[in-house]
Amino acid sequence: MSEYVETSRTSGSGGPGAAPTGGVLTIADVLALPVLAAGRPEVVTGVTRLDRPVRWVHITELTDPASFLKGGELVLTTGMPLPQDTAGVRRYVDELADIDAAALVIELVRRYHRPPDPLIQACRTRGLPLVTLAEDVNFLEVTQVVHTLILGNQADAMRRTQRVHEAFTALTLRGSGPEEVVRAAAEMSGRTVVLENLVHQALICEPSGSTVDEALTGWEQRSRATPPGDRTEVSGPESWLVAPVEYQGERWGRVAMLPPPSGTPAAASAAFVPEDVTVLERTAMALTIARLIHTTPWERTAHRNALRDLAGQRHHSPEDARARLAALGLPTEGGLFLAVLADIRAEDDGGAESRLSQELRTTGVPALVGILAPGRLGVLLALRPSQPWRPVVERLSRIALDLCPEAVVCVGPEVTHLSDAARSFRAAARVAEAALPGRQLREGRTFLELSDIGLPQLLYALREDTRIQDYAERQLGRLIEHDTRHGTDLLSTLRHYLDAAGNKTTAARLGALSRETVYQRLRTIERLLDRDLESGEQRTELHVALTALDVLRLG
C-alpha cells in the first residue's frame, strides 16, 4: 500500500476519488482527484504537509522552473529536466522551496522508474512534499481540472466575502452596538469571538462551539500571553486570530477569534481561513464605528450586561457566570458578595453610575456597577471575608442622596458563592419594593435592608394586590362611609385606640377627647363594623386593615 493511500484517510479530502467541495484546495485534495489518482500517486516526503494549499498547477520541463513561480504551485514534471549531479538536484529543490512551491510531482514513466536518492534527500531536507506517479497522467487534464476547482473556490470565496461585507455594512448603517457586532461575527465564522479592552478584560464574549466558561477561564493570563499586533494575524500559544480596534492611531482594545477547544471534533479543522480574517477585520472596523456612535464606554456596558444577566440568572451555568465576571476583573472565589440597589430618580443615570463606580475605585473595593433599569442602579460588591460591608454601603448611600435627596438604597444579604448573588439581588429588590415614600429610615441609617421590612412595608409592597384592597374595604368601608356622610372622624378614634393597644385613656389623650366621648365613639364603631374591640384578634385584624388603608393611600 502506498504511503499516500495510507495517509489520505485522515487528509480530510473524503478519500481517493472525492472532489473537494469548496474552501482552500490542499495537496491531499488534489491527489485524491480521479485524474491524479489514476496515476497511483505515492507521497515520498512531506507526508505531514499534505494540508498545504495549492494555489495553481504548473507544468515544467525547465531546469530552473522557480523563476516562473509565485508560490503555492503544484509543480508537475516528467523528470526529464532534473540535473544529473547531486549539487544540481539540491539547487533545483532549493529554488522550489525558496519560492514556497506547494509540492513537486514527478512522473516515473519516461526517465525514472524510482525517484533518485539525491532528490528524495533534498526534498526531505527542505520539507518539500515529493509525490511520484507510477502511471502516465495527462498533465494538461490535471491543470484543467485543478484550475477549474481553484477558480470555482475563488468565486465562492468572493461571494462569501461579499456577503460578509454586506452584513457588516448593514450592521453599521443601522447603528448596531458592539454586542450585536460581536454576535454577528461569531455567527458568520462559527467561532467564539471576544472583545477585550487594553487591560485584557473580556468585555463581550459570544461563544460558538464552546461555553463562556471554556472561552474565558483564565482570560487575562491567556490574553497577556498573546502579543498585541498592528494587523490581523494569528498569535500566541493558543493560535488566536486577533485584530486591533483603533481609530486615528488611538487603540481601544482588540477583538479575538478563538479556535475550537482542543479535544472537540471541530478542533481537527481549527486552522483559520481567509474568510475568518475578513470577518475579523470587518468586526474591528464595525466596532470602531460603533464606539464612535455609541458614546457609552464599553466597560460600563459590559458591567451593565453582566449585572443584568447575573441578577436575572440568565447565565447558562454557574461556571459561565464565574468565568465572565472574572474576565471583567472581579474576584469570584474566596470572598463575600453583596447586592446593592440604588433607586436614584435623577435625570442622568449615567452620571450617577459613574460617580458610584469612581467611589468604589477610590475605596479599593472590587465591584460591578451598572444601570439595571431606568432610575435603578445595581452594584455587586466583592468583599474579603473579614471586610465589613456597612461602611462601604454607607458611603454609596451618601453619594446617592447627594445626587438625589429622594434616593433609596437597598441591600440584600451577604452570600458566599457567586451563584447565590441572584438571591441577594432578589432580596434587595424586595426591600426596594417595600420602601415607603419618605424612606422612614432608622435613626442614623442611610439605607434599607431586609430587617427594615415590617407590616407597613410588606403591605406597601403588596398594595397592587386586589386581595389587600378588598380586605381593607371589607374591614373599614362602612366606617369610612359613615364619616363621609356625617362629617365625623371615627376612623381617627379607631386609629388612636389601636395605637394605644386598647387603652381607652391613652386613646382619649391621643385624640384630645374626653374618656366619655371615646367610649361613645368606640360603641358606635363596634356597631357599624359588627366588631368586638375587646377582642385582641379582632383588634389585630382592624390594625392590619388600617395599615393597609394607609399604604394604599400612599400608593
Side-chain angles (χ1 to χ4, degrees):
M1 181 178 293
S2 73
E3 187 176 2
Y4 168 65
V5 172
E6 184 69 29
T7 57
S8 67
R9 294 175 183 175
T10 58
S11 69
S13 65
T21 56
V24 177
L25 202 66
T26 66
I27 299 173
D29 293 327
V30 173
L31 296 183
L33 294 172
V35 68
L36 263 178
R40 291 194 292 140
E42 179 180 353
V43 179
V44 181
T45 66
V47 69
T48 61
R49 309 193 71 187
L50 297 183
D51 59 347
R52 298 183 72 184
V54 175
R55 298 183 178 88
W56 207 245
V57 177
H58 184 74
I59 303 172
T60 182
E61 300 298 339
L62 299 175
T63 57
D64 59 341
S67 59
F68 296 92
L69 305 180
K70 294 184 178 180
E73 292 89 354
L74 188 76
V75 178
L76 303 178
T77 181
T78 62
M80 298 299 291
L82 282 178
Q84 298 281 355
D85 60 304
T86 300
V89 170
R90 188 181 302 117
R91 182 176 61 255
Y92 182 91
V93 172
D94 284 342
E95 290 179 358
L96 292 178
D98 289 342
I99 202 64
D100 199 24
L104 174 63
V105 179
I106 181 172
E107 187 183 72
L108 302 180
V109 176
R110 292 169 175 79
R111 178 178 179 183
Y112 297 105
H113 296 288
R114 63 179 303 276
D117 290 338
L119 179 63
I120 296 174
Q121 184 59 42
C123 288
R124 183 174 291 122
T125 299
R126 292 303 305 268
L128 178 68
L130 173 63
V131 181
T132 62
L133 299 175
E135 302 289 342
D136 192 14
V137 170
N138 187 328
F139 283 174
L140 289 178
E141 187 178 354
V142 172
T143 60
Q144 181 181 11
V145 171
V146 175
H147 289 173
T148 299
L149 288 171
I150 290 174
L151 293 173
N153 288 346
Q154 289 175 350
D156 288 342
M158 290 178 64
R159 284 191 290 269
R160 291 194 299 269
T161 299
Q162 182 64 26
R163 287 195 292 268
V164 169
H165 286 299
E166 289 172 353
F168 278 103
T169 298
L171 287 171
T172 300
L173 289 177
R174 67 170 178 258
S176 299
E179 297 87 359
E180 190 175 355
V181 171
V182 173
R183 188 181 308 115
E187 291 174 352
M188 284 185 226
S189 64
R191 300 177 185 269
T192 296
V193 180
V194 180
L195 171 65
E196 68 170 11
N197 62 11
L198 295 177
V199 293
H200 301 278
Q201 293 177 344
L203 305 179
I204 303 173
C205 173
E206 195 63 42
S208 181
S210 66
T211 63
V212 173
D213 179 30
E214 291 170 331
L216 295 186
T217 295
W219 177 263
E220 182 178 346
Q221 180 181 2
R222 294 160 58 205
S223 176
R224 290 186 181 277
T226 304
D230 295 327
R231 57 188 177 87
T232 304
E233 60 185 352
V234 176
S235 179
E238 297 182 43
S239 298
W240 293 356
L241 181 64
V242 294
V245 181
E246 56 191 2
Y247 179 67
Q248 293 185 345
E250 180 184 1
R251 184 163 297 188
W252 293 329
R254 68 176 174 179
V255 60
M257 187 179 287
L258 310 187
S262 58
T264 62
S269 57
F272 294 106
V273 297
E275 187 178 343
D276 295 325
V277 176
T278 301
V279 168
L280 202 66
E281 288 176 342
R282 286 306 309 262
T283 301
M285 185 183 303
L287 286 169
T288 297
I289 297 173
R291 182 164 179 128
L292 294 172
I293 295 174
H294 303 278
T295 57
T296 302
W298 286 342
E299 290 77 7
R300 190 176 297 176
T301 302
H303 285 204
R304 291 175 185 176
N305 292 336
L307 282 174
R308 290 169 184 171
D309 290 345
L310 189 66
Q313 290 185 299
R314 292 196 289 264
H315 289 99
H316 292 295
S317 68
E319 293 75 20
D320 279 5
R322 281 197 297 272
R324 182 178 178 187
L325 269 65
L328 286 174
L330 191 79
T332 58
E333 302 287 349
L336 298 174
F337 302 95
L338 186 78
V340 181
L341 295 179
D343 285 347
I344 302 179
R345 296 164 183 82
E347 293 183 2
D348 183 11
D349 289 347
E353 183 182 34
S354 179
R355 280 284 304 275
L356 294 181
S357 299
Q358 183 180 0
E359 177 65 21
L360 288 166
R361 285 195 297 270
T362 301
T363 59
V365 177
L368 295 182
V369 180
I371 299 173
L372 299 181
R376 171 166 289 185
L377 299 182
V379 181
L380 179 66
L381 300 176
L383 305 165
R384 298 185 302 274
S386 59
Q387 185 176 8
W389 59 265
R390 291 183 181 276
V392 179
V393 177
E394 288 283 358
R395 294 185 68 168
L396 294 179
S397 300
R398 285 194 291 270
I399 292 175
L401 291 170
D402 181 51
L403 293 170
C404 174
E406 292 80 28
V408 178
V409 176
C410 303
V411 182
E414 292 176 296
V415 295
T416 55
H417 298 286
L418 186 64
S419 57
D420 294 326
R423 177 164 57 84
S424 185
F425 272 108
R426 286 196 300 270
R430 286 201 299 271
V431 176
E433 291 169 359
L436 295 169
R439 298 191 303 280
Q440 299 184 8
L441 297 167
R442 298 180 191 177
E443 186 177 354
R445 288 273 298 277
T446 58
F447 61 88
L448 298 169
E449 53 186 313
L450 280 172
S451 59
D452 293 312
I453 298 181
L455 179 62
Q457 290 79 16
L458 177 62
L459 292 173
Y460 184 74
L462 300 173
R463 64 191 180 277
E464 295 180 359
D465 192 318
T466 56
R467 291 171 294 182
I468 298 295
Q469 300 168 15
D470 178 67
Y471 179 80
E473 184 63 22
R474 283 190 290 105
Q475 294 288 334
L476 301 172
R478 282 173 291 177
L479 190 63
I480 297 171
E481 290 172 2
H482 182 277
D483 281 346
T484 301
R485 286 197 308 267
H486 300 283
T488 57
D489 195 12
L490 297 178
L491 190 66
S492 293
T493 301
L494 176 61
R495 184 189 305 279
H496 296 147
Y497 177 72
L498 296 175
D499 288 344
N503 187 304
K504 297 181 179 65
T505 303
T506 303
R509 185 172 65 252
L510 291 173
L513 301 171
S514 66
R515 291 183 60 184
E516 290 75 11
T517 302
V518 169
Y519 292 156
Q520 179 184 3
R521 290 188 176 188
L522 292 177
R523 285 193 295 271
T524 303
I525 292 171
E526 286 180 322
R527 176 176 57 81
L528 290 170
L529 300 182
D530 192 21
R531 289 286 179 167
D532 178 10
L533 295 182
E534 295 297 323
S535 167
E537 181 180 350
Q538 294 190 26
R539 285 206 306 268
T540 299
E541 292 173 353
L542 289 170
H543 178 70
V544 172
L546 191 59
T547 305
L549 180 65
D550 290 341
V551 299
L552 287 169
R553 287 175 171 175
L554 283 174

